[in-house]
Amino acid sequence: MGANSSRQNPSEILKSLDAIGQAHLSAGWNADTSAADKDRFFTQVKKLETAYPGGVKAYVENGRKLLADAKSGVNPLEGWTPGFPDGESLPFNSPEFVAKEALGLKELDGCSFVLVAGGLGERLGFSGIKVALPWQITSGETYLELYIRSILAMQSAASAAKGKPVTLPLAIMVSDDTASRTDELLKANGNYGMAPGQITLLKQEKVPCLSDNEARLALDPKDPYQILTKPHGHGDVHFLLHDSGTLSKWSASGVRWVYFFQDTNALAFKVLPATLGVSVEKKLQVNSVCVSRTAGESIGGLMRLTHKDGRGQTINVEYNQIDALLKATVSPEGDVADAATGYSPYPGSINQLLFALKPYAAMLKKTGGTMPEFVNPKYTDKTKTAFKSPTRLECMMQDYPKSLDASAAVGYTIVTGTTTFSPVKTNLADARVKSKEGMPTYSAASGEADAYISTSEMLMAAGVVMPPAPTVAMSGVKVALGARVVIDPSFGVGVEAWKAKLPTPSAIKMSNRSTLLLKGDLSGLTIEDLDLDGTLVVTCVPGAKVTLKKVRVSNSGWSFVSLGWSGKAEEALMIRGYQLSQSAQRELNFEKPGEYVVEDPEREGLLSKCEVM
């Protein structure tokens, strides 16, 4: 099969399939085979042809080579020796961090964003799309709304800095499972404020399954006129951006940077400005947002690999390969912590990537968007002649640097001393086990608690003194949970912007049992003096310029209540094991544009009340 096979007639398609060893696909056809069944088969083959660079023939050829390597036990890291990658580690709120953030803020007008969101939340116990999950239940806001509002906040900051309107585009990679539901969620919510055409949905197609070492395509056991297919992996995002013309369109509109992030890390944008600053200063083509990695942790490590033939590359090495590689090349101790820091000397890769668009687009044009692939067949026995079940080729987004030559500038950025990575990917039952073992749970409970901690860190960076968050058990999962602070991204982008909104931080106090929910358009909100012991909800419309000059709140507030070990509730709560109990709150609602100052008398405001202004 070839580039024009999607336009071939049925007999030509069968001949093309026969030529690459796939005659078995139609071997069972006979006079009783209906035209409708044949049409379904040919329609699927044409679709598979266009969904993979080079078509079905290239897929089969790549499969045979990778399966031969797997059978013979080829080690893809053979001949490579790891070293330390180039990059920068910035202590949060340090002068170095603030300087890089300021440099990066100047680049926001050239940013585009790519959300990889092709999966459902079934492994978590959530039947919907993961981006429809609430990232915390204080406001109930979904991940997708948080991400879009964060981008819009950066868009506003860039527009203000440039003195003209700026539009920051967003592409979302979806799949058969998530495409319609993502589209419906966006339409139902008016794109959460993004303009028509600002969001591009890129649908990932599946690839054929392979039934044996000869890369014979597997038929669906439930339908002999359909080839069995499975997802190819999130590395398809590169092909989709290129093949759809999205990168070309962005480049023509002045986009200079592409930021990739995944579907359930609420903290994905906290360090983006500083990461941009590092990319600008170091002239990086690829900048991996990384975290300090504990030795042995199930997170890939970024390494500068040097081959014995002189080649070099900076790539992510999967966590299950790190120890063996280090033992074979560097030290018999393998994957151990650095004595000075207590962490692995190899940064932890978290699949948040910042690319310089121009060289990225040029490379994809050269390669057609193809990505390095791997295959992971499960054999029935040691002879490696038969599979337990059909396998398929896979690719990963973070493997793009494997396509680059040794001269490409690839590095990393770590921001230490703050919470920047807390994905939600573990169901509650497994999270309880991990919690007992003292391991990171990466659960809905930890993701929510870390989001509150992260916002508190921003307040502290602005000078607010926050009480230490105690460790508590949330339905069997240990988390650090203090004040529940949720502040809409429109409040400000970057530490300096938050400092400007909090001019007298020493006058801001809140207890650990407090909830502070600031929502709406917060671009005009300033907080001068706040004493909070309970719950305060502030809502602002665009055009409302609000100063909380002196606000005193003391009420019974909101709290989290366990559902019990066998509780019954909606899925978004069941995956946490707790729900929100709203006892009392003070509400300040600014429903019309204008200037407002809230200044409580010494005793007024101590009771729960709702105020509309």
Side-chain angles (χ1 to χ4, degrees), residues 1 13-30 33 37-38 40-42 44-46 48 56-57 59-60 64 208-212 215-221 223-229:
M1 304 190 74
I13 290 176
L14 290 179
K15 288 179 181 178
S16 297
L17 289 171
D18 291 352
I20 55 173
Q22 309 300 325
H24 65 283
L25 294 174
S26 58
W29 294 5
N30 54 43
T33 301
D37 284 334
K38 291 180 180 179
R40 289 193 301 111
F41 174 82
F42 291 125
Q44 185 195 27
V45 171
K46 290 178 180 180
L48 292 172
V56 176
K57 179 181 179 181
Y59 183 81
V60 169
R64 286 177 182 150
C209 290
L210 308 172
S211 61
D212 56 31
R216 290 177 8 128
L217 304 184
L219 286 170
D220 190 330
D223 187 345
Y225 303 101
Q226 289 289 280
I227 297 169
L228 186 66
T229 60

Side-chain angles (χ1 to χ4, degrees), residues 517-534:
L517 175 55
L518 307 180
K519 57 183 182 175
D521 187 333
L522 306 181
S523 57
L525 177 65
T526 300
I527 304 175
E528 294 183 359
D529 187 336
L530 171 63
D531 194 336
L532 176 61
D533 182 37

Side-chain angles (χ1 to χ4, degrees), residues 111-132:
C111 275
S112 62
F113 300 86
V114 180
L115 168 59
V116 179
L120 299 173
E122 292 173 329
R123 286 191 298 176
L124 292 167
F126 182 70
S127 57
I129 55 177
K130 286 191 283 185
V131 292

Side-chain angles (χ1 to χ4, degrees), residues 289-528:
V289 177
C290 290
V291 294
S292 298
R293 179 182 174 275
T294 301
E297 188 175 359
S298 298
I299 295 179
L302 199 69
M303 295 181 171
R304 176 65 184 177
L305 300 182
T306 303
H307 198 269
K308 59 185 178 183
D309 62 11
R311 288 177 292 150
Q313 58 181 354
T314 297
I315 63 169
N316 169 72
V317 177
E318 289 299 295
Y319 69 89
N320 57 358
Q321 299 175 307
I322 292 176
D323 189 63
L325 175 62
L326 291 173
K327 285 180 177 177
T329 58
V330 175
S331 168
E333 294 181 326
D335 187 14
V336 296
D338 178 78
T341 65
Y343 290 102
S344 165
Y346 304 100
S349 176
I350 60 173
N351 291 352
Q352 286 173 212
L353 304 163
L354 178 65
F355 289 2
L357 185 143
K358 188 175 181 179
Y360 172 53
M363 178 55 70
L364 293 189
K365 186 176 182 180
K366 178 180 178 181
T367 64
T370 58
M371 285 291 297
E373 294 173 304
F374 64 94
V375 67
N376 188 26
K378 306 298 182 185
Y379 300 104
T380 57
D381 55 41
K382 293 181 180 179
T383 65
K384 297 184 178 181
T385 55
F387 302 161
K388 291 181 179 179
S389 61
T391 189
R392 87 286 197 184
L393 305 189
E394 299 179 68
C395 61
M396 297 189 295
M397 176 175 67
Q398 65 270 29
D399 280 347
Y400 166 75
K402 292 181 179 179
S403 305
L404 305 177
D405 60 35
S407 64
V410 179
Y412 70 89
T413 301
I414 293 179
V415 180
T416 62
T418 189
T419 309
T420 62
F421 178 63
S422 190
V424 175
K425 57 184 181 180
T426 307
N427 64 58
L428 183 55
D430 290 343
R432 286 167 175 159
V433 174
K434 290 177 179 288
S435 184
K436 285 183 179 179
E437 296 174 350
M439 299 169 59
T441 64
Y442 297 137
S443 62
S446 64
E448 176 156 4
D450 286 345
Y452 300 136
I453 289 291
S454 184
T455 304
S456 293
E457 290 169 349
M458 288 295 292
L459 290 172
M460 290 188 285
V464 177
V465 176
M466 298 289 290
T471 298
V472 300
M474 299 292 291
S475 298
V477 178
K478 291 182 180 179
V479 298
L481 185 65
R484 275 82 73 197
V485 184
V486 178
I487 300 178
D488 187 82
S490 60
F491 188 68
V493 180
V495 171
E496 293 302 309
W498 279 52
K499 288 179 179 179
K501 292 295 194 75
L502 305 165
T504 53
S506 61
I508 299 173
K509 301 178 179 64
M510 64 185 78
S511 66
N512 268 332
R513 73 176 196 88
S514 294
T515 297
L516 177 62
L517 175 55
L518 307 180
K519 57 183 182 175
D521 187 333
L522 306 181
S523 57
L525 177 65
T526 300
I527 304 175
E528 294 183 359

